Amino acid sequence: MVTFSTMGIVTATAQFILALAVTFLHPDNYRRFRKQNTARALLVTALVISMAGNVLNTFFAIPELAFSVFFFWSCSTQNILMGFVSILFANPSVVDRRFVAVNLSVYIFFNLLLISSAIFFTEAFPVIFIISFTAGVLLSIGIFSIAVRAYNNAVQAMEEYYSDDFYHLLRYRRAFNAAIIAGLALLIAVPFTGHYPGTYVTAANIVWRSLFILYYAFVSILFIRQNFQIGLIARMYDGMNVAGNAPQLPGSLVEIDNPLSGRMARQAAFERLETALLKWIADKSYLESDIPTARIAESLGTDIFTFRDYFRDKKGEDFRTWRQRLRIEEACRIMKEHPETSYELVAGTVGINDRSNFKKTFTKIVGMSPKEWKKSQK
């Protein structure tokens, strides 16, 4: 049989290890991003709160009422912190002081109401517990919905800003969403979990604690693995903010005043861009990734509006699709000349973020998977 002390020690130890991993396992290059450090601090805080709850429950006799209050406070706090972590990854600019203040004020109010009722109005505690519990669930759902929108907007913005496909961000979005849903489910399970007094824990308590540890392990691993993305996201929002302070307008005064002269100037700009693109292709600059589209246009001697107009009018497709085709053609050449090369290495060589991105892009352009294409070449 599993005793309370054994289960508590195992759970607390696992959470302590996860807290250390989240604190220290991350690329040094991205420590300068303040929002990432905030997200890390929130996640570690959630782990420490949960660990403290396990230690208290394991080594101290807690009255039933006090346990119920602490249990609810611990679960709701962790769930809300997880929501903040998810939003910080997707769109750091969303979590400002006002956002935090509003959500924490609502959260603190209902928790103080619950604690007050447990101390001064014990007869009303069941009703107030239900009210506080409902408020905690609704608040978690609200933060969850913000996280979903933040991820959707981030994926769209990054693909527009970098002209790269970020399918892997969609995977992380689904994973973080699943983590928040799991946390919400665990929070909802609080009234039904109960306190299991005695020397041995019940099967329900073992399952609940095990799921909670798996949940934290899942979120922690996601956090560590996604750390490298925070640099791209932070740079994108910084770049968008700079561009917003000094907006560029499409077209020119010459084109407005003299349409014929404007069309000639436009055609001349297209010809210069086409010449620059030929050299850009010859240098295989299309293999470089995570570079803002505006910077690519600037390196080719034009502005972002002429750049986009050129691809729309002359190529009949956007820059991202055109460049991905060049990358996949290069990938086919590499796989044909070096069939032993792994897909991960090929993907990185041609400037595609990871293997799953590579497979999805390859299949979309070629009409078959890389594995199927390799077989067709034999």
Side-chain angles (χ1 to χ4, degrees):
M1 296 290 289
V2 179
T3 63
F4 258 122
S5 58
T6 303
M7 189 70 183
I9 291 171
V10 170
T11 305
T13 302
Q15 289 165 331
F16 179 71
I17 293 172
L18 289 173
L20 290 178
V22 170
T23 302
F24 296 108
L25 295 182
H26 56 89
D28 290 340
N29 293 337
Y30 297 125
R31 286 185 178 179
R32 66 183 181 276
F33 294 112
R34 181 173 55 85
K35 296 286 187 177
Q36 184 198 32
N37 291 330
T38 301
R40 179 181 296 109
L42 292 174
L43 181 52
V44 171
T45 300
L47 282 162
V48 170
I49 288 173
S50 184
M51 182 180 69
N54 281 307
V55 170
L56 286 174
N57 193 37
T58 300
F59 297 105
F60 299 94
I62 304 176
E64 185 72 27
L65 189 60
F67 175 84
S68 298
V69 173
F70 180 81
F71 195 28
F72 168 75
W73 174 83
S74 174
C75 291
S76 60
T77 301
Q78 294 164 58
N79 205 46
I80 289 170
L81 291 178
M82 289 297 184
F84 285 162
V85 169
S86 181
I87 297 171
L88 277 166
F89 260 115
N91 185 350
S93 63
V94 171
V95 186
D96 55 14
R97 291 180 180 178
R98 182 177 179 278
F99 176 84
V100 173
V102 169
N103 285 280
L104 286 184
S105 295
V106 175
Y107 165 74
I108 291 172
F109 171 77
F110 283 101
N111 275 275
L112 289 177
L113 182 66
L114 184 66
I115 294 171
S116 299
S117 68
I119 299 174
F120 303 108
F121 311 103
T122 53
E123 294 182 357
F125 177 80
V127 175
I128 294 178
F129 179 86
I130 293 173
I131 294 173
S132 299
F133 168 76
T134 304
V137 170
L138 292 176
L139 184 60
S140 297
I141 292 174
I143 294 175
F144 167 69
S145 65
I146 294 171
V148 171
R149 291 197 301 272
Y151 260 94
N152 289 338
N153 294 338
V155 172
Q156 183 178 354
M158 288 188 72
E159 290 183 341
E160 176 73 15
Y161 186 75
Y162 291 110
S163 285
D164 271 312
D165 291 317
F166 286 90
Y167 300 128
H168 58 293
L169 269 188
L170 292 172
R171 292 201 314 274
Y172 277 115
R173 183 200 68 188
R174 289 192 291 267
F176 265 113
N177 289 350
I180 297 174
I181 290 173
L184 188 59
L186 291 172
L187 175 60
I188 293 173
V190 166
F192 310 102
T193 305
H195 191 5
Y196 296 95
T199 306
Y200 300 105
V201 292
T202 65
N205 192 268
I206 293 175
V207 170
W208 197 91
R209 285 177 180 243
S210 300
L211 288 175
F212 213 89
I213 286 299
L214 289 174
Y215 161 64
Y216 265 116
F218 178 59
V219 174
S220 300
I221 291 170
L222 281 178
F223 184 91
I224 294 167
R225 289 187 61 189
Q226 200 191 7
N227 258 331
F228 75 97
Q229 286 296 337
I230 197 68
L232 294 179
I233 294 173
R235 282 195 292 271
M236 176 190 69
Y237 285 112
D238 289 344
M240 290 170 67
N241 290 335
V242 170
N245 293 333
Q248 293 177 289
L249 298 176
S252 67
L253 293 176
V254 174
E255 185 174 348
I256 295 172
D257 294 339
N258 189 334
L260 180 60
S261 177
R263 285 195 292 271
M264 292 174 64
R266 178 187 178 88
Q267 182 60 34
F270 280 1
E271 290 174 359
R272 289 194 300 271
L273 176 56
E274 191 156 354
T275 300
L277 274 173
L278 291 175
K279 183 178 185 306
W280 191 77
I281 294 171
D283 293 340
K284 292 189 176 181
S285 297
Y286 56 85
L287 301 181
E288 298 175 353
S289 61
D290 304 331
I291 301 176
T293 310
R295 189 180 301 170
I296 295 174
E298 183 182 350
S299 71
L300 293 168
T302 188
D303 60 84
I304 186 64
F305 302 105
T306 303
F307 186 74
R308 288 172 176 164
D309 288 347
Y310 170 82
F311 279 94
R312 184 186 65 242
D313 298 347
K314 297 296 184 180
K315 299 293 186 182
E317 59 187 359
D318 61 20
F319 171 68
R320 181 173 61 179
T321 304
W322 176 80
R323 182 174 62 178
Q324 292 293 55
R325 186 175 291 107
L326 291 177
R327 289 174 169 178
I328 295 303
E329 289 174 1
E330 177 68 10
C332 290
R333 184 193 68 77
I334 293 173
M335 290 192 295
K336 190 171 184 177
E337 295 180 2
H338 307 280
E340 75 284 356
T341 307
S342 67
Y343 294 140
E344 288 87 352
L345 183 58
V346 173
T349 302
V350 301
I352 297 177
N353 288 298
D354 60 14
R355 177 173 176 168
S356 62
N357 275 15
F358 174 69
K359 182 179 178 181
K360 189 168 184 176
T361 303
F362 191 101
T363 304
K364 179 181 177 181
I365 292 175
V366 178
M368 62 180 75
S369 69
K371 187 176 181 180
E372 292 170 339
W373 183 88
K374 267 190 176 182
K375 289 182 179 179
S376 71
Q377 300 302 303
K378 294 180 180 179

